Amino acid sequence: MSDVAVIGLGEMGAALANAFITAGHEVTVWNRSPQKAVSLRKRGAQLAADVADAISAAPIVVICVSDYAVTSSILASAGAEEALRGRLVVQLSSGIPKQARTLAEHVHRAGGTYLDGAIAAWPRQIGTAEAAIFISGPQDQFDAAKPILAALAGGLTHIGTDIAIALALFNAALSYFAGHWIGFSYGAAICQAEGLPVDAFGDMLAGLSPSLATDLQHMGRVITSGSYATPETTLVTAGTDIGRLVELADDLKIGNAWPIFAGSTFQQAIRAGFGTEEHCAIIKVLSHR
């Protein structure tokens, strides 16, 4: 028996397997394309002949594939469901909360146990103190698996017994990062159009990190309490400034899809009567269709 099996050897899955090997664990791996296991085999990993063999090879089975649909198709392979009995499945693929609940039910029906997780790290960070992985599910299952899973991330955290919590928070964070990535890239486009160095722009924003962190905490408290009436800045003020980005886009002859979207969303909140409230009162139009 291996200590752990890893199913899925894309960039992230391979990084997970490497981290287990580096920590001294016996590892079995499986991937639809077996050539992806070559470097791992050189490091001592065992390559399973099929999915059922991979699941049978270890008490803990870590799955990291592209999504839950792929996971379901893998677990539908011959012998895989029978092999789940007595195994702990740790799902680290991307998906949405209802998919975590559905997969947990499937594994439980097959006689296995289940944890669901979200990775907050790049593949190169796996196995280091920089990596964070959030796990949700039964506390006793997490405690049993922690000595093995600890090899993956310095920030391995159990965040609740509801199986879907990890994915709910992952998708909430993904929403933030989507705006973060688009916003930075659009700012970079403005810098380029004006002949300014983009790396200096990145350094400038990095220097603002403490105040940006404070703003995130402030918005969390305001939305939680519903106290929008004493704003640091209003929706009207923020919306007016953001609206000017459309004019700037026309002047610089760069794309305007991002400022049009952002500006129109703020205007929607202003038209709904929230203009004098805190800027994060925009949630009042975002949380409803």
Side-chain angles (χ1 to χ4, degrees):
M1 290 285 288
S2 292
D3 299 318
V4 61
V6 178
I7 293 177
L9 300 177
E11 279 193 66
M12 186 60 79
L16 299 175
N18 266 310
F20 285 131
I21 294 169
T22 298
H25 297 300
E26 296 292 329
V27 182
T28 293
V29 298
W30 181 86
N31 192 73
R32 282 176 169 172
S33 303
Q35 61 267 28
K36 289 190 175 181
V38 171
S39 63
L40 293 166
R41 293 183 71 183
K42 290 179 179 178
R43 297 199 64 212
Q46 300 296 314
L47 176 62
D50 54 35
V51 176
D53 283 348
I55 296 172
S56 300
I60 300 173
V61 181
V62 175
I63 302 177
C64 185
V65 292
S66 57
D67 55 35
Y68 281 67
V70 172
T71 298
S72 296
S73 68
I74 288 173
L75 295 181
S77 303
E81 185 160 343
E82 292 80 1
L84 287 172
R85 180 168 298 278
R87 299 297 185 265
L88 170 61
V89 174
V90 183
Q91 168 71 301
L92 295 179
S93 308
S94 298
I96 61 176
K98 73 175 182 179
Q99 293 172 321
R101 296 185 180 104
T102 299
L103 185 58
E105 291 172 0
H106 176 87
V107 173
H108 292 155
R109 284 195 302 270
T113 51
Y114 182 81
L115 294 171
D116 202 275
I119 300 173
W122 303 116
R124 61 178 170 78
Q125 295 173 312
I126 295 299
T128 73
E130 295 178 337
I133 297 179
F134 302 100
I135 302 289
S136 54
Q139 181 72 54
D140 60 335
Q141 297 299 329
F142 174 79
D143 291 342
K146 186 176 180 180
I148 300 292
L149 299 181
L152 302 179
L156 179 72
T157 306
H158 182 255
I159 56 173
T161 57
D162 184 329
I163 203 66
I165 291 177
L167 275 188
L169 288 175
F170 172 80
N171 282 280
L174 184 61
S175 171
Y176 170 80
F177 283 114
H180 168 83
W181 293 325
I182 294 172
F184 180 86
S185 298
Y186 195 77
I190 292 173
C191 290
Q192 288 179 331
E194 288 285 0
L196 302 172
V198 174
D199 55 350
F201 171 58
D203 291 341
M204 181 193 78
L205 289 183
L208 294 175
S209 292
S211 62
L212 294 176
T214 299
D215 186 52
L216 291 172
Q217 294 170 327
H218 172 73
M219 288 189 291
R221 288 191 292 267
V222 168
I223 293 173
T224 298
S225 66
S227 304
Y228 302 101
T230 55
E232 291 189 331
T233 185
T234 66
L235 273 168
V236 167
T237 299
T240 299
D241 288 341
I242 290 170
R244 293 194 184 96
L245 290 175
V246 178
E247 180 182 357
L248 178 61
D250 292 339
D251 181 56
L252 296 178
K253 295 180 173 55
I254 59 176
N256 60 10
W258 173 243
I260 286 175
F261 167 75
S264 64
T265 305
F266 272 84
Q267 288 304 313
Q268 180 186 357
I270 293 167
R271 289 193 301 271
F274 309 127
T276 60
E277 297 185 6
E278 184 84 43
H279 57 287
C280 58
I282 198 169
I283 191 176
K284 296 181 179 182
V285 297
L286 293 175
S287 59
H288 302 285
R289 284 187 182 271

